[in-house]
Amino acid sequence: MLQPSLCFLGGLLGLLLMAPVLMAPTPPSMCTPLKTLNDSLSHRRRFMKHNFPINYSIRVHHQEIFKLSNISKMKLKVEGLDELVLQRLWFQVNQGVLKKIIRVLPERHPSRPYTAELERRFRDAEGVFVHSHPAEVFQQELPETVQDIWDQLTEEPDRVPESSWRLASPKSLVDNLCHTMYCLFWDCFSSTEASQDYCEVSHSKKGRKALSQQAEMEATA
Ligand SMILES: *[C@@H]1O[C@H](CO)[C@@H](O)[C@H](O)[C@H]1NC(C)=O
Ligand SMILES: *[C@@H]1O[C@H](CO)[C@@H](O)[C@H](O)[C@H]1NC(C)=O
Ligand SMILES: *[C@@H]1O[C@H](CO)[C@@H](O)[C@H](O)[C@H]1NC(C)=O
């Protein structure tokens, strides 16, 4: 008997909370599937790099290159950008990315089972994401900038102009997935560190800088 009224209250609260600009905390139920995904991601070097030919890259929409710098740029550009909108975009972008990686892997490729599991775990997280917010959230209009990205991502591939495609290595794409996940779902990953650190494109921290330089080298190497 409690459940429906709680849901209703939850929905109402959700609507009330959406009015002001805010950093919506990630629903706690999201953290379990995201941590499971994170466990898989820790093996990405081996499966997304070592098992591929040197400089192997796949063709993606330029919007599928979704990095921390994109997030900070968007936060500056779009006034009052809701964290939840970015989380939705993260799912939309990376669902396409994982699909594209799987598509290039032959049935017996050594990275195939890993990538399939990664995608399964990603979908689990997406399922929990969708269920942990009231449905109205997903019917809300997106800010124009985000809607444009969304429309281009869902455009028929043969209607996408040649100039919109980019080449990217599977490893760099999955690195982006991982780093932006820490930023957008920081409350599942923060421990003692200040939460916002995860979103910093960062020059301040040596460790991170080394890491991102390494990632850059890998992306271009
Ligand atoms: C995420 O995975 C990394 C290893 O890639 C690990 O160091 C970190 O503790 C994990 N975070 C959580 C919250 O599980
Ligand atoms: C991220 O930035 C790059 C380069 O500025 C751009 O090509 C790409 O479309 C951006 N991605 C998104 C999702 O906006
Ligand atoms: C990989 O790319 C780098 C930089 O574009 C190039 O210098 C190198 O020769 C390439 N390696 C192979 C094996 O194609």
Side-chain angles (χ1 to χ4, degrees), residues 84-101:
L84 189 70
V85 167
L86 288 170
Q87 292 175 346
R88 287 174 63 190
L89 185 61
W90 182 84
F91 278 110
Q92 181 68 25
V93 166
N94 288 298
Q95 161 203 313
V97 163
L98 291 174
K99 222 185 267 173
K100 286 189 172 68
I101 297 175

Side-chain angles (χ1 to χ4, degrees), residues 138-156:
F138 300 99
Q139 282 141 26
Q140 267 207 317
E141 242 182 82
L142 292 167
E144 200 184 330
T145 323
V146 179
Q147 186 66 52
D148 286 347
I149 296 171
W150 201 284
D151 291 345
Q152 288 165 45
L153 284 170
T154 50
E155 181 67 278
E156 291 285 332

Side-chain angles (χ1 to χ4, degrees), residues 75-116:
K75 281 180 177 166
L76 285 175
K77 192 170 167 196
V78 183
E79 206 181 329
L81 182 57
D82 198 324
E83 196 90 330
L84 189 70
V85 167
L86 288 170
Q87 292 175 346
R88 287 174 63 190
L89 185 61
W90 182 84
F91 278 110
Q92 181 68 25
V93 166
N94 288 298
Q95 161 203 313
V97 163
L98 291 174
K99 222 185 267 173
K100 286 189 172 68
I101 297 175
I102 288 183
R103 206 179 294 151
V104 300
L105 293 172
E107 208 60 55
R108 302 175 66 168
H109 190 281
S111 290
R112 178 97 189 191
Y114 169 81
T115 314

Side-chain angles (χ1 to χ4, degrees), residues 27 29-30 127-134 138:
S29 55
M30 279 296 294
V128 175
F129 179 68
V130 168
H131 284 111
S132 56
H133 292 287
F138 300 99

Side-chain angles (χ1 to χ4, degrees), residues 3 7 23 30 32 55 88 111 125-126 134 137 143 155 162 166 180 188 190 194:
Q3 209 86 348
C7 282
M23 293 255 299
M30 279 296 294
T32 307
N55 290 355
R88 287 174 63 190
S111 290
E126 189 174 30
V137 162
E155 181 67 278
E162 204 49 47
R166 295 285 180 281
T180 49
C188 291
S190 68

